[in-house]
Amino acid sequence: MSTPKNPKSAPSPKSASTRKPLVYGAVVVVAAGLLGFASYQATAPDTASKDTTPTGPAAEVSADPNEGVYPELAKLARRDADDQLAIGPADAPVVLIEYADFKCGYCGKFARDTEPELIEKYVKDGTLRIEWRNFPIFGEESENAARGAWAAGQQNRFWEFHRAAYAEGAKEKGFGKDRVKALAEEAGVKDLDRFMKDLDGDAARASVKKDQEQAYGIGATSTPSFLINGRPIAGAQPDETFTRAIEAAAEQAKTTGTAGQAGEPAK
């Protein structure tokens, strides 16, 4: 899991003061505390090796499929069939929401090592939908990459951009504007002039800000952070953490008859 190491990349005190956990009616999201504590425990950027997978309390998956699940958080799933930053059927019984930054090493590890297996095993059979949320926390280059990913999505090439940006060694080359354009070309984006215009457009900025504020709103302070049908998981955890959470959520959806039902949009 990654957190901003450079104070210049961190949220300003003024903006951070507004980033309080979301409140749904009278319910304060307890997961905010879980994600925050897990972020603190799991990051350890100065002591953990770059190949170490962090663990934390938000990664625990109980045998009880209801334990550690927050139904109000499940409502953050958009289930929009036209969402280019998602993969899997809109009515899948399980939705995994990922809040991530393209400059985050642990996000890249998840993208290369875990996500393809989840797609092969659960997305292809209709069990799982993965919804991406841009959560840039490392400054200007993170913002460039996030808006570039959105812009690639406008030409149906988000996941190809995602793969190129998370390839081994990609983040070490940085995400300046020229580099992001090169990644778009590598991803097969056809109209690069439109891509660059979209990249700097108001719609891209608004989309990234919406995702970012949602992440702060549930208490996420580092990347990657996940929700699986309302269950918070912090960090690029071992594969079995995700498979257990997905299978528990799928079983719960089956027994309660809630598979494929979108919740009320979170305000």
Side-chain angles (χ1 to χ4, degrees):
M1 181 184 299
S2 298
T3 55
K5 298 179 185 179
N6 186 333
K8 293 181 180 179
S9 299
S12 67
K14 182 178 179 181
S15 61
S17 68
T18 66
R19 288 164 178 161
K20 299 176 182 178
L22 292 172
V23 177
Y24 302 92
V27 180
V28 178
V29 179
V30 179
L34 283 175
L35 283 169
F37 183 68
S39 297
Y40 172 78
Q41 293 285 0
T43 306
D46 296 324
T47 57
S49 75
K50 65 181 180 179
D51 295 322
T52 300
T53 300
T55 56
E60 296 296 327
V61 181
S62 168
D64 180 350
N66 292 311
E67 187 175 340
V69 174
Y70 300 88
E72 297 298 332
L73 288 181
K75 295 178 183 179
L76 293 175
R78 293 170 183 161
R79 294 186 179 277
D80 179 356
D82 295 325
D83 185 357
Q84 296 298 324
L85 278 62
I87 186 171
D91 61 353
V94 184
V95 178
L96 181 155
I97 302 174
E98 177 185 4
Y99 301 90
D101 184 318
F102 285 102
K103 290 195 72 175
C104 161
Y106 286 128
C107 300
K109 179 177 177 60
F110 174 80
R112 292 188 299 272
D113 298 346
T114 303
E115 195 165 42
E117 294 184 12
L118 298 182
I119 291 172
E120 187 67 29
K121 186 173 183 180
Y122 297 111
V123 173
K124 288 187 176 181
D125 75 358
T127 299
L128 179 68
R129 174 177 175 84
I130 298 174
E131 296 187 355
W132 170 270
R133 303 286 190 269
N134 278 303
F135 187 25
I137 60 174
F138 292 107
E140 183 179 356
E141 289 200 352
S142 289
E143 291 276 350
N144 287 342
R147 287 187 278 111
W150 183 89
Q154 302 314 292
Q155 298 187 51
N156 302 315
R157 305 303 287 180
F158 167 77
W159 289 100
E160 291 79 5
F161 183 96
H162 175 279
R163 184 163 54 249
Y166 276 138
E168 286 282 2
K171 77 181 182 69
E172 284 73 19
K173 297 178 182 179
F175 293 112
K177 292 285 183 67
D178 288 343
R179 173 64 182 150
V180 171
K181 183 178 180 180
L183 287 170
E185 186 172 17
E186 181 181 339
V189 173
K190 298 296 185 184
D191 189 340
L192 292 175
D193 288 338
R194 176 192 168 189
F195 172 84
M196 294 304 291
K197 185 180 293 186
D198 285 343
L199 169 70
D200 282 327
D202 290 342
R205 295 178 190 278
S207 176
V208 171
K209 182 179 180 181
K210 179 181 179 181
D211 287 356
Q212 189 178 48
E213 291 302 321
Q214 185 181 98
Y216 283 121
I218 63 168
T221 58
S222 59
T223 54
S225 292
F226 305 89
L227 296 174
I228 298 179
N229 277 20
R231 182 193 298 275
I233 293 178
Q237 300 291 336
D239 293 359
E240 57 266 27
T241 299
F242 292 96
T243 58
R244 287 174 62 194
I246 290 166
E247 289 176 9
E251 186 61 28
Q252 180 67 4
K254 186 187 302 181
T255 58
T256 60
T258 57
Q261 294 180 13
E264 292 290 332
K267 306 250 186 207

